[in-house]
Amino acid sequence: MPTHTANSIPPLDLRAQYGSIREEIQTALQSVLESQIFILGAQVHALEEELAAYCGTRFAIGVASGTDALLLALYAWGVRPEDEVIVPAFSYIATADVVSLLGAKPVFADIEAATFTLDPGKLERLVTKRTRAIIPVHIYGQTANMEPLLQFARQHKLQVIEDAAQAIGATYRGKRAGSIGEVGCLSFYPTKNLGGYGDGGMILTNSSEMHEKLRALRMHGETRKYVSAEQGWNSRLDEIQAAVLRVKLRHLEAWNSIRRAHAKSYTEALANVRGVTPPKVAEWGDHVFHQYTVRVPRRDEVQRALANDGIAATVYYPVPLHLQPIYTHLGHASGSLPEAERAAAECLSLPIYPEMSSEQVSRVAEALVHATQL
Ligand SMILES: *Cc1c(COP(=O)(O)O)cnc(C)c1O
């Protein structure tokens, strides 16, 4: 267990962030309380417009979580039982379990060692007649290599649904994460770069057809009040979340640049340390460092040594998706997706958050250097 002293460094510090925006948040919450409108009101509407503008899409649809954003996007595109959807084997479980929840089959693809994102070179043999979509995950805050993925998707008539849950604000050749495929999905889980004070999510799209479908799907398929043309969900974003998120959106660019500055300091400090591979920033865009994730071969030992120093380094994610217990029935052998498995064994995310001081960044880097030489 980490030793909790005044000197300890958490993975992130939401209380410090709240301290820096307390008055703005309280004013925003007060106005929701005075309005007594809690679901899909003016705040949600304004957030949808602001996020569509920020990310560069025509439409944005607020939903109850990032998971629901993915689920509704797949359903709206027509993914049904027996269909197949290609997902990277290295991600948070939500990327795959939305597929299986719809009765469809997640087909796992390996990742690129350097960026931890879907490897466009390893997709060809995964496509069947039933493949409907592909979900690139912009893991840790960096976009996947989208151009070859889009080209592959066009060739095989697959829809591209971006899982941009960790990457709001990141770019790929000048385009924001979530605005590159047909649909992009954001999460406002509290620890994300744009986090609410509860669950929330957003779907981004340029397609007016998808936009209309998704608006209906999040509210029982209603196309008019109390008239449902098809089955849907209750997956709505609430006014309190939207009010908080609108305040935080005004700070997002500044926060993301501090994350980038901290990442730069880490990489400088770790550049020539044997046994540590700092994350690569791909030439195709801006990384927003939702996580700063290094590779260390003796990962568990190093993590324990850091914990003894009061530093909370975290493993996202220890088990690749194809080897998750819920997918045992799919029969994937250990060793079948080697890069995803190696990432799961070696990845270690260091504390990174905008309220972190440069001294704390140096202390973490020094502790890591020390831990790897033990
Ligand atoms: C957080 C996350 C999700 C799910 O978002 P929720 O809002 O927690 O439902 C999906 N995919 C990835 C990669 C995530 O990091």
Side-chain angles (χ1 to χ4, degrees), residues 64-68 70 91-95 137-139 163-166 186-189 192 199-201 290 317:
S65 68
T67 305
D68 274 8
L70 291 163
S91 181
Y92 180 55
I93 189 71
T95 311
V137 179
H138 305 320
I139 200 157
D163 182 342
Q166 300 186 2
L186 301 175
S187 163
F188 306 128
Y189 186 78
K192 300 286 158 82
D199 275 310
H290 173 60
Y317 298 94

Side-chain angles (χ1 to χ4, degrees), residues 232-291:
W233 278 263
N234 169 357
S235 182
R236 301 176 295 228
L237 185 62
D238 67 65
E239 289 286 288
I240 286 186
Q241 297 313 325
V244 167
L245 292 164
R246 291 184 67 208
V247 169
K248 288 198 177 194
L249 181 57
R250 300 201 286 266
H251 298 275
L252 182 65
E253 283 287 290
W255 287 339
N256 280 349
S257 23
I258 302 173
R259 283 173 185 271
R260 272 196 286 273
H262 286 340
K264 191 159 171 275
S265 306
Y266 270 142
T267 298
E268 280 163 12
L270 300 172
N272 298 307
V273 179
R274 195 171 343 150
V276 181
T277 311
K280 179 188 166 179
V281 178
E283 79 287 357
W284 56 69
D286 286 336
H287 197 315
V288 292
F289 290 99
H290 173 60
Q291 299 297 340

Side-chain angles (χ1 to χ4, degrees), residues 63-274:
V63 293
S65 68
T67 305
D68 274 8
L70 291 163
L71 184 74
L72 268 60
L74 287 167
Y75 189 86
W77 174 243
V79 172
R80 295 294 181 271
E82 314 305 327
D83 287 343
E84 295 178 7
V85 177
I86 297 175
V87 302
F90 188 67
S91 181
Y92 180 55
I93 189 71
T95 311
D97 76 2
V98 289
V99 176
S100 37
L101 205 58
L102 288 171
K105 180 176 158 190
V107 174
F108 300 106
D110 213 351
I111 56 166
E112 294 181 337
T115 62
F116 300 95
T117 57
L118 202 52
D119 185 341
K122 292 188 187 148
L123 299 175
E124 198 70 50
R125 59 181 191 85
L126 301 177
V127 177
T128 73
K129 283 202 293 286
R130 310 247 36 163
T131 312
R132 303 296 317 279
I134 176 166
I135 310 183
V137 179
H138 305 320
I139 200 157
Y140 302 146
Q142 173 160 254
T143 54
N145 190 2
M146 292 300 290
E147 231 157 63
L149 292 172
L150 291 170
Q151 199 185 342
F152 179 85
R154 268 195 302 273
Q155 249 164 33
H156 297 276
K157 299 195 164 46
L158 311 177
Q159 198 200 33
V160 175
I161 296 170
E162 298 174 67
D163 182 342
Q166 300 186 2
I168 185 166
T171 58
Y172 178 86
R173 306 207 190 284
K175 284 187 170 179
R176 296 270 190 205
S179 73
I180 309 158
E182 274 85 18
V183 178
C185 299
L186 301 175
S187 163
F188 306 128
Y189 186 78
T191 61
K192 300 286 158 82
N193 286 25
L194 180 65
Y197 289 176
D199 275 310
M202 187 77 62
I203 309 172
L204 304 166
T205 186
N206 286 316
S207 151
S208 44
E209 195 187 333
M210 284 297 276
H211 171 237
E212 261 167 52
K213 273 191 193 166
L214 288 162
R215 258 180 207 281
L217 282 181
R218 75 172 168 187
M219 183 108 153
H220 302 287
E222 284 185 4
T223 43
R224 277 188 292 137
K225 207 164 174 62
Y226 307 131
V227 180
S228 288
E230 71 169 317
Q231 188 146 314
W233 278 263
N234 169 357
S235 182
R236 301 176 295 228
L237 185 62
D238 67 65
E239 289 286 288
I240 286 186
Q241 297 313 325
V244 167
L245 292 164
R246 291 184 67 208
V247 169
K248 288 198 177 194
L249 181 57
R250 300 201 286 266
H251 298 275
L252 182 65
E253 283 287 290
W255 287 339
N256 280 349
S257 23
I258 302 173
R259 283 173 185 271
R260 272 196 286 273
H262 286 340
K264 191 159 171 275
S265 306
Y266 270 142
T267 298
E268 280 163 12
L270 300 172
N272 298 307
V273 179
R274 195 171 343 150

